[in-house]
Amino acid sequence: MALPPLVEPAAELSVDEIRRYSRHLIIPDVGMDGQKRLKNAKVLAVGAGGLGSPALLYLAAAGVGTLGIIDFDTVDESNLQRQIIHGVSDVGTPKAESAARSIAEINPLVNVIIHNTALDRDNVKEIFSQYDLIVDGTDNFATRYMVNDAAVLLGKPYVWGSIYRFDGQASVFWEEHGPCYRCLYPEPPPPGMVPSCAEGGVLGVLCASIGSIQVNEAIKLITGIGEPLVGRLMVYDALEMEYRKIKVRKDPNCALCGENPTVTDLLEDYEDFCGAVSEEAQEAITGSTITARELKDWQDSGKDIFLVDVREPAEWEINRIPGATLIPKGEILSGEALAKFPQDRQIVLHCKSGVRSAEALAALKAAGFKDAVHVQGGIVSWVNTVDPSLPSY
């Protein structure tokens, strides 16, 4: 359905702006009026990573007058495969500042506001209230639910995107005109079921595909043209080169925007709501967690260890801890690999960051391996504290 323009038009365009945006101005549906609305718009990008990078570049190029960037992370070499707003010279610098410099090169007429901080319960409402529209490029469920809840409570529309390996999704959530994120996903997935891009990977160019869709939707909302993805979910399969649209209806029983809402303010703890690990895994790792340094000490002392890497084969090819045996988590959870575990040796599990090994540890303990432990922080911690010569990813 068509919606009225989100933003009032600016008073005028300068001669420089008319020259710069001429290809927009000659499109009848955009024209001077639409470009003036873009100039007057204030858009916040949550994250300057995989989705935020192309989104920010195209929002700036389109002439959005004020762009806010909130990101507390720094640029890492592994980001450069997909986060095209950053370059080699930006490694180690705050992403928000790096992104602002790139935007200035693309379009110095844009006013950039940097929020070099973590988005949290205490600041999300205050920051969101400064903007007309939110573009959400976050990659974790806790922040996604917080962004949604804050947007609904403030009456703000936001454009959502998600990417994983070869698959992407995008939609527009605006409680006044359609469903919210909780209508689509009332509850977060079970902990450990959906790996992050850091654990599962993502095709770099997929970020551009979904980020561009997000900007397209933002422009439509700001100018009031076309039919935004309100009440529709766009699903993209890069391998099959297939786009599908799925209708998403407003849920009358939604905890946030339904007829009898039970969520009337921001949650106290979104991490707890989404759960870093399951209750079973949390119980399993209590008293059964060692550090990477302790693992190294055990190895140096000659302790009889059966060290198991529960990552996937592709990750195993990148780096590995000496002496480890690869047994992917899925084979442990299914019970397929339980016969491979000895009863008379100290079992130590590790993954990339500690989440998957915690889930695998719970399965092992349930199968009777009560003395098994896992490595806190996984191979990331090993690289950082024991062997920095190993490549990271």
Side-chain angles (χ1 to χ4, degrees):
M1 61 177 176
L3 296 175
L6 180 64
V7 178
E8 290 297 314
E12 60 182 4
L13 297 180
S14 68
V15 173
D16 288 342
E17 288 170 329
I18 291 174
R19 280 199 296 261
R20 176 179 286 270
Y21 307 127
S22 63
R23 298 304 187 273
H24 274 178
L25 300 179
I26 60 177
I27 301 174
D29 288 347
V30 180
M32 289 288 286
D33 182 76
Q35 195 62 49
K36 287 178 181 179
R37 294 183 192 276
L38 289 169
K39 178 179 179 177
N40 216 25
K42 298 178 180 179
V43 178
L44 175 69
V46 182
L51 291 175
S53 288
L56 283 164
L57 291 175
Y58 272 108
L59 287 167
V64 171
T66 299
L67 279 179
I69 309 169
I70 181 161
D71 199 313
F72 68 97
D73 200 4
T74 57
V75 180
D76 182 80
E77 188 177 14
S78 66
N79 301 148
L80 304 183
Q81 163 257 8
R82 64 201 177 281
Q83 299 181 18
I84 58 172
I85 205 166
H86 312 297
V88 173
S89 62
D90 299 314
V91 171
T93 63
K95 285 185 179 179
E97 296 177 13
S98 168
R101 288 194 295 269
S102 296
I103 289 171
E105 286 293 315
I106 293 290
N107 190 350
L109 303 178
V110 173
N111 174 38
V112 179
I113 301 174
I114 295 174
H115 304 277
N116 193 6
T117 184
L119 192 68
D120 58 33
R121 187 185 190 279
D122 296 327
N123 63 22
V124 62
K125 284 185 178 180
E126 188 274 328
I127 292 174
F128 278 19
S129 65
Q130 303 172 41
Y131 298 91
D132 303 304
L133 177 66
I134 315 299
V135 175
D136 180 22
T138 56
D139 63 355
N140 67 86
F141 288 100
T143 307
R144 287 175 185 169
Y145 278 96
M146 182 174 65
V147 166
N148 177 76
D149 294 359
V152 170
L153 293 169
L154 293 171
K156 302 280 184 179
Y158 78 99
V159 185
W160 170 78
S162 175
I163 50 176
Y164 179 69
R165 292 187 175 169
F166 300 99
D167 300 317
Q169 300 179 359
S171 189
V172 173
F173 296 111
W174 194 354
E175 185 269 339
E176 181 180 346
H177 297 285
C180 77
Y181 182 77
R182 283 178 181 265
C183 295
L184 178 61
Y185 298 115
E187 298 288 340
M193 177 170 287
V194 181
S196 67
C197 289
E199 290 190 330
V202 60
L203 186 69
V205 72
L206 179 67
C207 302
S209 300
I210 301 302
S212 296
I213 290 175
Q214 289 183 282
V215 175
N216 188 59
E217 294 305 302
I219 291 172
K220 287 156 61 180
L221 288 168
I222 292 166
T223 60
I225 62 175
E227 294 192 14
L229 285 173
V230 175
R232 295 180 295 165
L233 176 68
M234 177 69 76
V235 180
Y236 173 52
D237 182 338
L239 284 183
E240 297 295 329
M241 190 48 66
E242 180 179 79
Y243 287 91
R244 294 183 295 123
K245 282 187 291 188
I246 301 171
K247 286 187 177 181
V248 182
R249 302 188 184 279
K250 195 175 182 69
D251 182 2
N253 298 314
C254 177
L256 182 68
C257 72
E259 297 172 358
N260 298 292
T262 56
V263 178
T264 57
D265 200 354
L266 297 176
L267 303 183
E268 289 294 331
D269 191 335
Y270 283 90
E271 293 286 349
D272 183 60
F273 171 65
C274 293
V277 296
S278 67
E279 292 183 11
E280 294 80 4
Q282 188 62 53
E283 182 179 345
I285 66 177
T286 303
S288 298
T289 300
I290 65 171
T291 65
R293 176 56 61 183
E294 286 175 308
L295 171 60
K296 183 66 166 64
D297 291 342
W298 281 6
Q299 289 180 325
D300 291 344
S301 68
K303 189 177 179 71
D304 190 14
I305 299 169
F306 184 59
L307 177 62
V308 177
D309 186 334
V310 305
R311 298 176 300 158
E312 295 300 310
E315 297 173 274
W316 170 264
E317 293 298 325
I318 297 171
N319 60 12
R320 66 193 72 167
I321 297 176
T325 298
L326 177 66
I327 304 178
K329 183 191 78 170
E331 296 180 14
I332 298 173
L333 299 188
S334 69
E336 175 186 348
L338 292 180
K340 298 179 182 180
F341 288 86
Q343 295 283 352
D344 57 349
R345 300 174 66 187
Q346 174 64 63
I347 296 171
V348 180
L349 307 180
H350 85 82
C351 61
K352 180 180 180 180
S353 62
V355 175
R356 284 174 286 176
S357 59
E359 300 292 341
L361 182 64
L364 274 187
K365 290 204 166 191
F369 296 91
K370 301 299 184 184
D371 295 329
V373 300
H374 91 129
V375 180
Q376 182 180 16
I379 201 165
V380 171
S381 179
W382 180 272
V383 171
N384 290 337
T385 63
V386 177
D387 188 3
S389 68
L390 281 181
S392 59
Y393 68 101

